Amino acid sequence: MDEVTKIVNDIKAGNIKPIYFLMGEEPYYIDKLTEYIENNILTEEEKGFNQMVLYGKDVTVEDVVGNAKRYPMMADRQVVIVKEAQELSRNIDKFENYAENPQPSTVLVIAYKYKTLDKRKKVTKLFAKSGVVFESKKLYENQVGDWIKRVLSGKGYGIEPKAAAMLVEFLGTDLGKINNELDKLAIILPKGSMITPHHIEENIGISKDYNVFELRKAIGEKDQLKAYKIADYFAQNPKDNPLVMTVGLVFGFFSQLLQYHGLKDKSPGNAAKMLKVNPYFLKDYDVALRNYPMRKVSAIVSTLRDVDVKSKGVGAASISNHDLLKEMLVKIFN
């Protein structure tokens, strides 16, 4: 993210603010910025007396402010980091007085994860006036593939689109979890490698041939033999392939296909933008568009809603997940 890069570059240039209020639904960048400040503002010799890490569940706002008002010992600055600061949400307004006149020799980092403050609130405005307010937003699923490419490029690696899609399909939009897997690959593979679906299968445990991504593709192509083979594989490995997730992803595919049918402008650029998919995968949607007329897609979406309810145990207590998955495929293909 450009904003993250700017904050880091400002710190490197010596433009260090007295307050960093880091908030948002995506914890990855909050953790990364907190870690960067923790590791780079003070020297190792200065940290012993001048760096303090507090946790929101163990302190009050008054405790934090008291520590922030201290003067550094034998150093130009002290760093006070409050992790899990969302635990202080009920009393966050008590920071107002400190934010109006922060200690210039203190760098106060407030890591307020999974939540955001209204930017119109007085305390938020004061944080922004005296320091930096950074909001870490969740990425949409269609944005995560590009994020993976950027992160790997920074590490000196490339990745094939299908391999990136496999990671997103199975790890979702949790950037921290994805980054952990990318770090593992970077340890195993030589720098400069192009990461393929085979690497994902071999090192992360996601099958390159038997996964929801391939199931969705088989359904789009009306390749019934392949679809039922994948369904049987899922039945043998239910923990790695939960039915709720499978139904949800297939439902998402047909919902997008219904939207695709309704687009007047089906040019690749517009279609990828409107469907929120990587342009590389549009060919799969084009195939499905020819195989499933709009009326059929609408009926399938309705059917998948019913299967989704059953997959969650409503009205189908005696039906196995395998049978439900086969039922879903029968209704899609017929």
Side-chain angles (χ1 to χ4, degrees), residues 8-16:
V8 170
N9 286 341
D10 281 348
I11 292 172
K12 286 180 179 178
N15 181 17
I16 300 171

Side-chain angles (χ1 to χ4, degrees), residues 216 219-220 248-261 285 288 292 296-298 300-301 304 328 332-333:
R216 200 170 63 177
I219 290 171
L249 289 169
V250 174
F251 176 81
F253 175 70
F254 278 101
S255 297
Q256 289 170 315
L257 194 58
L258 188 61
Q259 186 183 3
Y260 198 10
H261 267 294
Y285 288 82
Y292 297 92
K296 175 63 174 175
V297 174
S298 183
I300 289 172
V301 168
L304 289 172
M328 179 188 79
I332 288 173
F333 290 132

